[in-house]
Amino acid sequence: MIQLQNVSLKFDKQELFNNLSVEVPAGGRLLILGGSGTGKTTLLRLLLGFVMPDRGNVIIDGEKLSLENVWKVRQKMAYVSQEMQIGRGNTERFIKEVFSYKNNRNISYDRSKLVSLLEDFHLDAGTLNKDLEELSGGELQRFAIIVTLLLNRKIYLLDEVTSALDQPLKELIVNHFLSMKDKTLIISSHDSVWHNRNFPTINLGNNGSSS
Amino acid sequence: MEAVPDITIWRLLAGFGLLVIPVALSLFVKLGIIRQLAIATGRMTGQLFLMSILLIYLFRWDNTLLNAAWVIMMILFACFSAMINSKLSFRKFFGPVFLSYFIGAGFVLLFFNRVIVNHENIFTARLLVVIGGMLLGNSLNSTIIGISHYYESIRKEKRRYLYLLSLGATQNEALLPFFRDAMLAALKPFMAGMATMGLVSLPGMMTGQILGGASPETAIKYQIAIVLAIFTAITVSVSLSIFMTSRKAFNPYGVLRNDYFKN
């Protein structure tokens, strides 16, 4: 479960959140709406502990996010944003490096799952022989999502992930995430493919005031 | 072999006469570099003149403490220059940058003087000050390239860094790819120069020694040794300066402290 309790945050003197409280149960969904500059990305980064609130608490699974647990809490989450930058070099080597991280060594690298995910997301198997810089924006976006899916996280924070994709791919990705019933999804998007799905929604407005 | 004759002041002034050609060209095609050229020429002449006076006395007294103190001064100059050019905050990063030069250039300098040259007094001005200057001068450029590249790419590719953290990387694991890129950017130009050395240009140290009367065999051995020493000094000081500034540049949550950098 994810809770924001009376979170307030100013950024360059502009008030982004004032006493914002939100609750998302495990396996729940939340759609964040709002104009640009209203703090959608910042809200997701608050959950990851990349930004700390001026006042109020961020609580993940009953634990208040703090220095003591932030590195552990991040391991429950996957974060994908728009216009992904991943790095350079061979795609599969990148995945292997991710799996060699100290925190990920207990997760086994399942290549057959990788191959089937590539197929699900309409990337051909040759992608694994390519370098990251050879992938198009849309391919990179899907690749970044696939890596997080391999890690099998509980909570997915998706920041405008579908914005650079064409309609069939948007729907493909939305449907994939919606089929994962046990995952918590927090989505920030302008994209209508995420709308009208009866998600609990918070609207950050147009000029930074939250409702 | 005999050393070349000294250049008289009048003949050196004649050397300045050469500048008539670039100045004329600048006037003719409106390059607009005359002011800048005048300042640069003036600074070069003044600085080298002062340096020669300083060297005359350093060589005359040849006092270990004084020589070491001058090397420390050079490290300080290098530090300031590196920090100004890579936009690091002085207050926060002076210590780490100073230490990385001190260790990088210092270790290689002592190794060069003791093991390679095997001089009985490794603190003698001719070795300590001159070789120290070559090591520091070359490390300076590379450190500026390395540090700037490192922090600029972390800032420019913030999403990449945060993505790696969210994939479970520890801070060091997430920074490793940025470190690799920065090291390559810092080391590659020197390696490229190394590979063409002797073909296109005779390196400055070797030229100087030959003019000073040393045999080409001696000059070439010194040249090879100094290139190896410079490359190692660069590697150590660039990697240390990135490593040591990195420990301060991030908050405990792993996010780059933008307020530690000048815009």
Side-chain angles (χ1 to χ4, degrees), chain B residues 113-250:
Chain B
N113 295 354
R114 171 82 282 162
V115 179
I116 302 179
V117 181
N118 192 21
H119 197 278
E120 75 269 13
N121 177 13
I122 58 173
F123 288 100
T124 190
R126 275 174 70 195
L127 283 176
L128 202 72
V129 175
V130 176
I131 304 293
M134 289 199 71
L135 295 179
L136 281 166
N138 282 282
S139 303
L140 178 61
N141 261 335
S142 311
T143 333
I144 293 170
I145 296 172
I147 294 186
S148 309
H149 193 287
Y150 183 69
Y151 289 110
E152 260 165 38
S153 59
I154 293 172
R155 241 175 297 165
K156 249 192 289 180
E157 298 178 60
K158 186 175 180 180
R159 289 202 201 95
R160 174 185 177 192
Y161 174 63
L162 297 183
Y163 178 66
L164 296 181
L165 285 184
S166 78
L167 291 177
T170 60
Q171 187 174 320
N172 284 337
E173 284 166 339
L175 289 173
L176 185 63
F178 293 95
F179 176 73
R180 268 187 219 130
D181 289 353
M183 284 308 289
L184 289 177
L187 297 180
K188 273 189 171 167
F190 192 82
M191 282 197 287
M194 235 161 118
T196 57
M197 207 166 272
L199 284 182
V200 186
S201 64
L202 283 185
M205 186 193 199
M206 189 173 153
T207 315
Q209 277 191 308
I210 291 174
L211 288 177
S215 73
E217 295 109 281
T218 309
I220 204 171
K221 281 184 272 184
Y222 267 87
Q223 185 60 47
I224 291 170
I226 194 73
V227 168
L228 301 174
I230 288 172
F231 188 73
T232 309
I234 289 176
T235 313
V236 177
S237 50
V238 177
S239 53
L240 276 183
S241 60
I242 291 178
F243 180 72
M244 294 207 278
T245 55
S246 239
R247 293 173 38 150
K248 284 191 159 186
F250 296 84

Side-chain angles (χ1 to χ4, degrees), chain B residues 41-54:
Chain B
T41 310
R43 280 192 60 164
M44 181 234 350
T45 312
Q47 282 159 201
L48 289 179
F49 181 73
L50 287 177
M51 192 61 205
S52 75
I53 295 178
L54 195 93

Side-chain angles (χ1 to χ4, degrees), chain A residues 182-193:
Chain A
D182 55 332
K183 307 293 185 193
T184 309
L185 302 182
I186 301 193
I187 300 133
S188 116
S189 185
H190 286 103
D191 224 320
S192 57
V193 279

Side-chain angles (χ1 to χ4, degrees), chain A residues 74-106:
Chain A
R74 279 177 194 160
Q75 290 169 50
K76 298 179 180 182
M77 304 195 206
Y79 170 61
V80 186
S81 54
Q82 61 182 332
E83 293 165 40
M84 276 311 292
Q85 300 161 322
I86 296 184
R88 280 169 279 280
N90 176 264
T91 49
E92 191 172 9
R93 206 168 56 215
F94 173 79
I95 298 180
K96 285 182 175 159
E97 186 159 325
V98 169
F99 275 85
S100 75
Y101 292 159
K102 226 176 287 159
N103 294 325
N104 295 340
R105 278 185 205 147
N106 55 335

Side-chain angles (χ1 to χ4, degrees), chain A residues 42-144:
Chain A
T42 309
L43 188 58
L44 296 179
R45 288 185 179 170
L46 268 170
L47 299 176
L48 285 155
F50 294 148
V51 181
M52 280 287 132
D54 297 334
R55 272 175 293 124
N57 297 320
V58 177
I59 298 170
I60 314 278
D61 290 341
E63 270 189 287
K64 185 180 168 238
L65 197 59
S66 69
L67 258 187
E68 282 71 51
N69 57 26
V70 65
W71 295 90
K72 226 178 71 204
V73 167
R74 279 177 194 160
Q75 290 169 50
K76 298 179 180 182
M77 304 195 206
Y79 170 61
V80 186
S81 54
Q82 61 182 332
E83 293 165 40
M84 276 311 292
Q85 300 161 322
I86 296 184
R88 280 169 279 280
N90 176 264
T91 49
E92 191 172 9
R93 206 168 56 215
F94 173 79
I95 298 180
K96 285 182 175 159
E97 186 159 325
V98 169
F99 275 85
S100 75
Y101 292 159
K102 226 176 287 159
N103 294 325
N104 295 340
R105 278 185 205 147
N106 55 335
I107 312 169
S108 54
Y109 170 55
D110 184 348
R111 198 173 194 275
S112 60
K113 188 178 172 193
L114 170 61
V115 173
S116 85
L117 279 170
L118 286 170
E119 205 173 310
D120 289 350
F121 285 91
H122 295 190
L123 288 169
D124 67 276
T127 305
L128 295 179
N129 301 322
K130 285 188 182 166
D131 282 349
L132 290 165
E133 50 270 53
E134 289 174 69
L135 302 186
S136 71
E139 288 171 330
L140 202 61
Q141 195 69 24
R142 283 173 279 161
F143 183 78

